[in-house]
Amino acid sequence: MAGNTLQAEEFRQFQYLTVPLEGAASGAPLAIQVADQWHLLHNLAEAVERAVARHRSCLRETPAEPAAAPVIQKAPEGERSRQARDRHAAVHAALPVA
């Protein structure tokens, strides 16, 4: 058990170690490159912030009034969509009432 704890501590110490991709690929050509979620989201947030800053002049101070919602014509119902609606209704009818 003590060995596992030591390995876990060693992993935590180096889990955010960054290596240039060329070096990693030459040192371990069959390795799969993995990125952690925090760094991906952090990099995305920084990129979005830079893009918004670049296009700040394009943004209006007060938003324009929204246009009227378009009228959407209901498509004629075919056999497959009728079957899907029937199955959906049957499943919901079989659910217990809470």
Side-chain angles (χ1 to χ4, degrees), residues 5 8 13 17 24 28 30 32 38 44 46-48 55 61-63 65-66 71 75 79 81 86 89 96 98:
T5 305
Q13 181 181 0
L17 182 66
L30 299 178
I32 299 172
W38 185 89
L44 174 64
E46 286 181 341
V48 168
H55 298 285
E61 289 300 320
T62 56
E65 289 295 320
V71 177
E79 181 63 20
S81 61
D86 291 346

Side-chain angles (χ1 to χ4, degrees), residues 34-96:
V34 183
D36 64 274
Q37 186 177 16
W38 185 89
H39 284 96
L40 289 174
L41 291 175
H42 180 72
N43 293 343
L44 174 64
E46 286 181 341
V48 168
E49 188 175 347
R50 286 192 305 269
V52 169
R54 268 194 318 268
H55 298 285
R56 179 87 173 129
S57 62
C58 301
L59 300 174
R60 296 184 186 143
E61 289 300 320
T62 56
E65 289 295 320
V71 177
I72 299 174
Q73 300 290 331
K74 186 175 180 181
E77 188 170 289
E79 181 63 20
R80 290 187 61 102
S81 61
R82 187 193 58 73
Q83 289 173 348
R85 289 183 197 282
D86 291 346
R87 276 194 310 273
H88 180 268
V91 167
H92 280 269
L95 292 174

Side-chain angles (χ1 to χ4, degrees), residues 20-33:
L21 295 180
E22 301 83 35
S26 66
L30 299 178
I32 299 172
Q33 296 177 7

